[in-house]
Amino acid sequence: MRFRSNPSFVSDFAALRLSHQKMFRDRMKEFSAGCDTWAQSGAVSDAWPGNLRVHRLSNSNLWSMTWHYRRPHGRVVFQFFEDGGETTVRLLRIGGHEIYDDV
């Protein structure tokens, strides 16, 4: 699975505390494996471990993943797209609930 980042994701990530950057990076292996499973099967309920709380946002092609549950909450908004015939994940925003305002 390939990943791409929007400029807004890059600036959001840089603004996170270092401990939260590490938490997100630590979850990426599970998240990436789930993205691979989803791309191969489309089985949303079984693709990601339940602790990541991955779900599609209502009436959109955007998805959300929760990587931290305590305040401040850690969320990432992403989307799948095709790039050269390969399913790719574009990371759009990262942070707390406020990220949903601008996607």
Side-chain angles (χ1 to χ4, degrees):
M1 180 67 52
R2 290 192 293 183
F3 288 85
R4 303 281 185 251
S5 301
N6 270 13
S8 54
F9 174 87
V10 174
S11 61
D12 290 346
F13 187 81
L16 292 176
R17 289 187 264 178
L18 292 177
S19 61
H20 283 202
Q21 290 178 7
K22 181 181 180 333
M23 279 187 252
F24 177 73
R25 284 189 191 110
D26 289 347
R27 306 288 185 301
M28 282 303 292
K29 184 175 181 180
E30 289 176 290
F31 178 62
S32 180
C35 290
D36 287 335
T37 299
W38 180 87
Q40 293 169 7
S41 70
V44 175
S45 62
D46 297 333
W48 294 274
N51 68 322
L52 294 182
R53 286 186 41 199
V54 174
H55 64 279
R56 191 175 201 151
L57 299 178
S58 298
N59 301 318
S60 76
N61 67 342
L62 302 178
W63 294 73
S64 176
M65 185 261 285
T66 301
W67 51 269
H68 187 258
Y69 293 96
R70 284 179 251 138
R71 296 196 184 271
H73 296 264
R75 311 235 188 285
V76 63
V77 175
F78 64 97
Q79 67 186 163
F80 293 100
F81 69 102
E82 290 296 315
D83 184 20
E86 183 176 348
T87 302
T88 303
V89 174
R90 179 178 292 126
L91 301 170
L92 302 171
R93 298 293 313 268
I94 189 169
H97 287 275
E98 74 281 355
I99 66 173
Y100 297 121
D101 296 336
D102 296 327
V103 290

